[in-house]
Amino acid sequence: MLAFGLTAPTAAADASDDRRALVMLRVLAYDKHLGDRIGDDSVAIVVAFPPTEAGNAERSRWTAAFDSVSQLKVAGRSVTVVAHRFEDARKLDRELQGAHAAALVVCDGLTRSIPVGELAAVTRARKVLSFSTREPEVVKGLAIGVVTGAKRDEIVVNLTAVTAEGVKFDAGLLQLARTVEDRP
């Protein structure tokens, strides 16, 4: 089982990214339907980034963050990370299907290229849990936010999106999280 804790953000971006990657893995561990969604496969996480220089930097940040926790297992399964340069929703859909993805991490700037509603349609159709670090994207239809709070990072859950993505969380996660309404 993964150790879990949300602590105050540090000044080092890579330390907070590492912590957020760990929290995302822990959130996946709370999914009662994980095995139904991915079978016995490894837990594949797709990091989707926009086709910009800033997007490449985001991709590097997130792949490094997940590499730092790559020795951990989720529900007894190894974790793999795939980076996907977003070009259009159809290619993202194929990537999620091909990777047999359990989760999608939406990099900063991606929702300037594709509306949140289109991303949500893809993740809901493929039963892939969507993550963001920006609460407005969660309110607009992504499932989980690991966002900076006043004193520490917070988990924000859009229950409508979570259900539509085929996820059912253990009550323990919902006690730790704050829920928001889906307002596309």
Side-chain angles (χ1 to χ4, degrees):
M1 183 154 261
L2 294 170
F4 184 67
L6 295 176
T7 58
T10 63
D14 57 324
S16 62
D17 291 342
D18 293 355
R19 188 177 56 252
R20 288 183 182 125
L22 179 63
V23 170
M24 290 175 189
L25 293 179
R26 186 61 183 144
V27 166
L28 280 166
Y30 275 102
D31 179 7
K32 291 180 176 182
H33 290 171
L34 183 64
D36 296 337
R37 293 189 309 111
I38 67 168
D40 292 331
D41 294 342
S42 66
V43 176
I45 299 170
V46 174
V47 175
F49 61 98
T52 62
E53 194 170 315
N56 286 329
E58 281 285 299
R59 173 193 48 86
S60 295
R61 281 182 49 222
W62 283 108
T63 55
F66 281 106
D67 282 348
S68 76
V69 294
S70 64
Q71 75 284 0
L72 299 175
K73 293 184 180 281
V74 175
R77 296 167 176 90
S78 61
V79 176
T80 59
V81 177
V82 176
H84 173 76
R85 181 179 172 175
F86 179 82
E87 293 175 16
D88 65 48
R90 284 186 316 228
K91 288 181 182 176
L92 177 61
D93 180 65
R94 285 194 302 270
E95 180 68 44
L96 294 176
Q97 181 182 22
H100 205 141
L104 173 73
V105 176
V106 177
C107 286
D108 191 24
L110 185 61
T111 57
R112 287 186 208 89
S113 303
I114 179 173
V116 171
E118 285 184 46
L119 279 173
V122 172
T123 58
R124 292 172 186 198
R126 290 285 167 211
K127 302 301 183 204
V128 173
L129 185 62
S130 56
F131 285 97
S132 176
T133 57
R134 292 156 305 282
E135 187 169 340
E137 293 175 350
V138 177
V139 171
K140 290 180 180 179
L142 297 183
I144 304 292
V146 180
V147 302
T148 303
K151 294 184 181 181
R152 63 177 188 248
D153 286 349
E154 297 178 339
I155 300 170
V156 179
V157 177
N158 179 325
L159 291 173
T160 302
V162 164
T163 301
E165 291 175 354
V167 175
K168 179 164 176 51
F169 285 125
D170 180 272
L173 175 70
L174 299 176
Q175 291 173 345
L176 297 170
R178 179 168 49 87
T179 60
V180 295
E181 296 289 323
D182 194 8
R183 289 178 273 157

